Amino acid sequence: MKKYTLGIAAILLVGMSIVGTSWKAVEHPNTQQEAVKNIAADSIYNQYILNIYHEVHLDSAGLSEQVFEKALTGFYNMKYSGLVSARSILTIADFDQESCKKRLYIIDLENKKLLLNTWVAHGLNSGGDKPSSFSNNINSNQSSLGFYLTGEIYYGKHGRSLKLDGMDQGFNSNARERAIVVHGASYVSQQSIDQLGRLGRSQGCPAVPAKLADKVINTISDHTVLFINKSDQQYNSAFLNETLAASVALNKEQIFAAQMD
């Protein structure tokens, strides 16, 4: 508790000193004072992310800190936009990892818990066990990178499914037109891994195990954030503004600290 209180105190001390930076961008501040503020704000925000990362035990679950940092930054940017549900649920599909690994992470940020860690499929034309090609094009049968907002639940050819809205223009903005949805699939299973050496593949949808589909859909439905990651691609997003994310996150901690007084 003492460690947490000290962390809050540090956040409160520098929270209001945040100035304009973007995702890992190198800027040229006009004064030495601005440079010091940038370093302080970045350091506190990075420590804030690291604390959550370890508290949720994402390291032992196989998710890298760098991928979590991107996803969480996008979450706070989307929260600032007013699009995100009041529920602080963040879902990450990490396509840096092979399909035979449990690379889908559903995180409760409010309670700092990993709610579910399971398999997720990528698109047929994105690659074999580890995807390398991505597209926003209709009929590409490839996965699309970036930030999504979960939409409405419906019943389609895969049964109960969850619609997605791609939020990154040029990367996943055709998700609705492509019918990119979360659904259950029999080919997302240990049996498929045993037979094929990998999961089966979708037409671009982040398909999940059939037995867990209802649980996944119920947990992430209604305007929560899904981030599909692949680190070595030329992906960029307006939602990766680290300065804005830091201001939202640190302000949240200030409000929490005030309520605890």
Side-chain angles (χ1 to χ4, degrees), residues 122-126 137-143 178 202-204:
H122 57 260
L124 175 66
N125 290 333
S126 283
N137 295 334
I138 296 171
N139 297 323
S140 67
N141 289 338
Q142 293 185 11
S143 296
R178 296 182 60 203
S202 68
Q203 292 181 309

Side-chain angles (χ1 to χ4, degrees), residues 34-76:
E34 287 180 357
V36 170
K37 286 182 179 180
N38 278 341
I39 293 169
D42 186 61
S43 176
I44 292 297
Y45 180 57
N46 287 342
Q47 187 58 53
Y48 170 82
I49 292 170
L50 191 60
N51 288 344
I52 297 176
Y53 176 76
H54 287 301
E55 193 165 350
V56 181
H57 305 293
L58 293 173
D59 46 352
S60 59
L63 184 68
S64 76
E65 181 191 341
Q66 291 74 22
V67 174
F68 178 62
E69 183 175 357
K70 277 197 293 185
L72 190 61
T73 294
F75 170 84
Y76 281 122

Side-chain angles (χ1 to χ4, degrees), residues 56 58 68 88-90 92 105-109 113-115:
V56 181
L58 293 173
F68 178 62
S88 296
I89 302 296
L90 172 61
I92 304 170
Y105 304 83
I106 302 178
I107 304 161
D108 180 345
L109 295 171
K113 291 182 179 179
L114 180 59
L115 300 178

Side-chain angles (χ1 to χ4, degrees), residues 198-226:
R198 56 168 173 77
L199 291 183
R201 294 163 297 178
S202 68
Q203 292 181 309
C205 296
V208 298
K211 292 181 179 180
L212 292 176
D214 278 345
K215 183 176 181 180
V216 170
I217 290 169
N218 291 340
T219 304
I220 72 173
S221 64
D222 191 25
H223 301 93
T224 70
V225 177
L226 163 66

Side-chain angles (χ1 to χ4, degrees), residues 173-190:
S173 49
N174 288 331
R176 283 269 174 169
E177 290 81 356
R178 296 182 60 203
I180 300 301
V181 302
V182 176
H183 65 78
S186 59
Y187 55 77
V188 184
S189 63
Q190 185 63 55

